[in-house]
Amino acid sequence: MTVTIGVIGSGNFGRQLIKAFHETGLCRIKGIAARTPSKHRDMTEKYGAVITDNYTELLRDNSIDAISVCGPLELQAAMVEEALAAGKHVLMEKPLAATMDDALRIKAAADASDKLAMVGFIERFNPALLRIKALLRQDHLGKVFRLSIKRGSRLSERTPWMWEVGMYVHILGHNIDILRWFLDDEVEHVYSESDGFMRPNRKETDNICCMLRFRNGAIAVMEDSWTLSPKMPMEENDCRLDLIGEKGNLSTNMLSQMTSLCCEDKGWFYPSVLRWPGGLDEDGGVVSYALKDECAYFLRAVRDRKLPPLSSVGSALENLRVAMACRKSSEEGRRVHMSEIEGAGHV
């Protein structure tokens, strides 16, 4: 079965998604919704897709099985609700929503539908992180009690919606999802500090430090920055992860994919892959193409409903709750317990 898909959104990431879906060989891209169809005629030639400026045309097309939602974040809740109501399977992008109200709308729509609803947390397809998850299952580290994750990127004139949504909602979700996924556990309380150092007049947060305590006792630290040198290549962005457990410790670079592990049974070893390429530019190769892998998983899950969404709406909602707790902690200068945040009980 070849899945017929429609894609809402044709910005930079939307174009990457369209390319990734095409390269899976598992679907036909029937339609693409774009604000200015005239600028995207090349995609009709490349993929044979119809370009429209009205996404509801894709929802009314009975030949389309699934919808990929990659439109403006403030419209994501409405688009997902409409797509599920139209009987389409849906892949949506993280963050789930900018507000808890919109996140709960999406959760309600997903619960009411018998169609697949999956959230695109691409780090779950990062080869280095998949390898670490396997190593944790193999118990090389024993019980993990200390984790740190660091995600730094360049200072840049980001698109307005990214600054409007802010770092807590836009970027922290990646780290929270990785930590919850690795530990198979939920956050109990958080403490956070943040500030805007490079644009203080705009009151925009550009650096965050958070500490998370999990129910099983593990402590995690998250550091996020949007203020590395603008001259720094993406390959040199600071994205590291460290885990310490009862049997050993592990470190990895989430971009270069270099992983080292030291544990009781093996001593030092390097269970890693070389590189995580992908995107529109193929200069780095496409050996481990995480976005393509994410799209392929979604399409396989559409065909085989026994496959669960690798990152569910409920899990994405919990990531957003933790991010909201971290922001509340920073704003109020105190530790925040997860029971204080709306939306509990939806994992």
Side-chain angles (χ1 to χ4, degrees):
M1 168 190 170
T2 298
V3 177
T4 302
I5 193 163
V7 180
I8 300 175
S10 58
N12 179 62
F13 196 74
R15 292 178 75 92
Q16 291 187 45
L17 272 169
I18 292 163
K19 177 176 179 287
F21 272 119
H22 175 71
E23 290 184 352
T24 66
L26 301 174
C27 69
R28 175 195 171 201
I29 302 171
K30 176 75 179 293
I32 299 168
R35 285 179 173 173
T36 52
S38 60
K39 293 183 179 180
H40 303 288
R41 298 303 180 193
D42 62 309
M43 292 192 287
T44 299
E45 298 175 8
K46 285 182 181 179
Y47 309 116
V50 174
I51 313 293
T52 176
D53 62 359
N54 185 356
Y55 72 87
T56 60
E57 291 182 14
L58 306 183
L59 307 186
R60 292 195 296 265
D61 188 336
N62 292 329
S63 69
I64 291 179
D65 305 304
I67 295 289
S68 174
V69 177
C70 191
L73 184 61
E74 66 270 19
L75 300 180
Q76 179 151 284
M79 290 175 170
V80 171
E81 285 176 326
E82 292 176 52
L84 290 170
K88 311 298 186 186
H89 304 283
V90 178
L91 174 67
M92 67 203 85
E93 292 310 305
K94 56 75 50 194
L96 184 63
T99 67
M100 191 57 65
D101 285 345
D102 278 356
L104 292 172
R105 284 173 57 191
I106 293 173
K107 183 65 169 59
D111 289 346
S113 172
D114 63 353
K115 299 301 180 181
L116 173 67
M118 178 171 146
V119 185
F121 278 90
I122 194 173
E123 292 286 14
R124 293 207 180 200
F125 296 87
N126 184 326
L129 300 188
L130 285 169
R131 186 73 178 104
I132 293 170
K133 182 66 175 176
L135 293 166
L136 292 173
R137 291 194 190 102
Q138 294 161 14
D139 200 34
H140 285 295
L141 296 180
K143 181 180 179 180
V144 176
F145 52 79
R146 172 71 166 80
L147 308 90
S148 65
I149 189 164
K150 191 174 187 180
R151 189 180 299 271
S153 60
R154 295 168 293 187
L155 174 68
S156 64
E157 291 298 330
R158 300 172 192 277
T159 53
W161 75 265
M162 292 171 66
W163 286 112
E164 289 167 8
V165 169
M167 289 184 71
Y168 277 103
V169 171
H170 176 60
I171 201 67
L172 224 63
H174 276 309
N175 297 345
I176 295 165
D177 188 64
I178 291 167
L179 296 170
R180 292 178 56 244
W181 180 41
F182 279 180
L183 291 172
D184 288 318
D185 195 22
E186 301 302 336
V187 177
E188 183 175 276
H189 61 253
V190 307
Y191 180 76
S192 177
E193 293 273 3
S194 62
D195 211 330
F197 296 98
M198 299 299 288
R199 295 180 173 89
N201 58 316
R202 301 188 193 180
K203 298 182 180 179
E204 294 166 340
T205 295
D206 54 28
N207 279 269
I208 298 173
C209 293
C210 301
M211 185 172 72
L212 281 58
R213 172 73 81 165
F214 284 79
R215 292 174 184 171
N216 70 1
I219 298 173
V221 176
M222 302 187 299
E223 300 177 48
D224 287 82
S225 174
W226 278 355
T227 52
L228 300 186
S229 170
K231 302 291 186 181
M232 181 174 285
M234 180 178 176
E235 291 80 3
E236 296 296 331
N237 281 358
D238 194 7
C239 295
R240 291 179 289 166
L241 174 69
D242 294 281
L243 282 69
I244 302 174
E246 293 172 331
K247 296 182 180 179
N249 52 281
L250 177 150
S251 298
T252 194
N253 183 310
M254 292 182 287
L255 287 180
S256 73
Q257 304 282 288
M258 187 65 210
T259 299
S260 61
L261 193 157
C262 183
C263 59
E264 292 176 353
D265 56 341
K266 287 181 174 288
W268 278 107
F269 67 112
Y270 301 88
S272 188
V273 292
L274 295 178
R275 184 173 168 78
W276 177 27
L280 292 170
D281 185 353
E282 295 185 0
D283 288 346
V286 290
V287 176
S288 300
Y289 190 178
L291 187 58
K292 177 181 171 182
D293 294 343
E294 177 183 289
C295 293
Y297 184 95
F298 172 74
L299 294 169
R300 287 195 297 269
V302 167
R303 296 194 302 185
D304 179 3
R305 293 308 311 282
K306 293 180 181 178
L307 276 177
L310 199 61
S311 45
S312 68
V313 170
S315 181
L317 175 59
E318 187 64 17
N319 292 335
L320 182 62
R321 289 184 68 243
V322 177
M324 295 291 192
C326 291
R327 185 168 67 186
K328 182 180 181 69
S329 172
S330 179
E331 290 172 348
E332 299 182 6
R334 64 179 181 90
R335 186 173 72 179
V336 171
H337 197 279
M338 290 306 302
S339 61
E340 301 179 48
I341 306 301
E342 182 184 7
H346 290 283
V347 181

